[in-house]
Amino acid sequence: MTTQQSFTRHDITFPSGDSTCAGWLYLPTGVTSPPVVILGHGLGAVREMRLDAFAERFAQAGIAAVAFTYRHFGDSGGHPRQLLSIKRQLADWDAAIAYVTARTDVDRTRIAVWGSSFGGGHAITVASRHPELRAAISQCPFTDGLASALALGPAASLKVLPVVARDLAARGRGKPPVMVPIAATPGSSALMNAPDALPGYQALQPPGTTFRNEVAARVIPTILTYRPGRAARKIAMPILFCVSDTDSVTPPAQTLRYARTAPKGEIKRYEAGHFDFYTGETFEVLVRDQIEFLTRQLKPAAAASAP
């Protein structure tokens, strides 16, 4: 039986681009220079939406954790609000790695990245660009924009085009962004309208969350052309892919094709939906698998008994 360590959580901010990202730093109690894993979320999501649950378990296993919110969302900086920029979010990951590397209370030579959903795609991209990392985890990852658009359906994809046009026009005139829902009911105009998308997002929101169910529509063309799965073959370190076999948002068949190209890739498959990964028994199974993987790759100190 594995004993659990206690930990402390600290509010942090770190610079990224022209603004700052807000986050939490989890430090295992009584551990000198622990390894660290950096956690980033999915489409428009903020760290309060269950990143803390994963980070706490990692810290209890002797692994420090940084869970952050992208610029333009939640309590992080950046204007306009609700701007989902792939380029900026990848820069936020780079900034998070730089922040961790500059700290003296963690082991900068044992860093891993962990991303879920859209952040799972980012984790693939980031791992391919940072060979100094020790490991990566990509959970129910967005790997191919075209595949996700096809899963959404051509009719739903066409519905958002007028909103995109209005937002691009607004940007050209210096006006506030025109928003599109992140998650909505089936048949609605949104980034995700699978039957489990809206209730899935709602289930992740704690009381008082800073989450807003909308983003600037201008991101949609860039999502369609974002194919982070293609970078899997370039990842030098071990990477764990946690794949939902019934994923309604990020089609598993394409994800598995990409995952199999990673030279040191490991694949775990789960009979659970995209949004089931964050709660209940599926979460418990998932986080145990992830701790086992991170323990093998990062080699944290043996857990001391909590007081």
Side-chain angles (χ1 to χ4, degrees), residues 97-226:
I97 293 170
Y99 168 80
V100 166
T101 303
R103 291 194 68 95
T104 58
D105 50 1
V106 298
D107 186 345
R108 67 194 72 184
T109 70
R110 291 184 291 160
I111 300 173
V113 292
W114 178 106
S116 190
S117 194
F118 206 63
H122 289 337
I124 296 170
T125 302
V126 170
S128 74
R129 295 178 177 180
H130 287 271
E132 75 277 13
L133 296 173
R134 190 68 67 90
I137 294 176
S138 182
Q139 173 176 297
C140 54
F142 173 100
T143 56
D144 191 292
L146 183 58
S148 290
L150 291 173
L152 182 64
S157 298
L158 289 172
K159 276 186 179 181
V160 300
L161 294 182
V163 188
V164 174
R166 292 201 303 273
D167 188 36
L168 292 173
R171 181 176 65 178
R173 298 195 304 268
K175 300 292 185 182
V178 177
M179 301 292 177
V180 63
I182 298 169
T185 54
S188 300
S189 175
L191 296 185
M192 295 181 288
N193 63 8
D196 59 340
L198 183 57
Y201 261 73
Q202 290 171 336
L204 301 183
Q205 299 173 43
T209 180
T210 55
F211 173 72
R212 287 168 52 187
N213 186 21
E214 59 181 8
V215 294
R218 68 192 66 168
V219 71
I220 291 172
T222 64
I223 290 177
L224 291 173
T225 57
Y226 187 38

Side-chain angles (χ1 to χ4, degrees), residues 61-74:
I63 302 167
V66 169
F68 74 96
T69 298
Y70 300 108
R71 281 177 293 167
H72 305 280
F73 294 92

Side-chain angles (χ1 to χ4, degrees), residues 243-248 269-277 282:
V243 182
S244 161
D245 280 339
T246 58
D247 202 315
S248 61
R269 298 172 66 172
Y270 305 85
E271 286 294 329
H274 187 90
F275 296 96
D276 295 330
F277 275 27
T282 302

Side-chain angles (χ1 to χ4, degrees), residues 10 12-16 20-26 37-42 44-52 55 65-76 88-100 112-116 119 122-123 126:
H10 307 269
I12 61 169
T13 59
F14 55 86
S16 182
T20 57
C21 291
W24 294 316
L25 168 66
Y26 294 77
V37 57
I38 302 168
L39 296 88
H41 220 319
V46 293
R47 67 186 184 282
E48 291 90 347
M49 296 166 71
R50 295 289 291 173
L51 287 196
D52 50 347
V66 169
F68 74 96
T69 298
Y70 300 108
R71 281 177 293 167
H72 305 280
F73 294 92
D75 57 351
S76 290
R88 285 171 176 254
Q89 290 194 349
L90 291 173
D92 293 343
W93 277 99
D94 292 341
I97 293 170
Y99 168 80
V100 166
V113 292
W114 178 106
S116 190
H122 289 337
V126 170

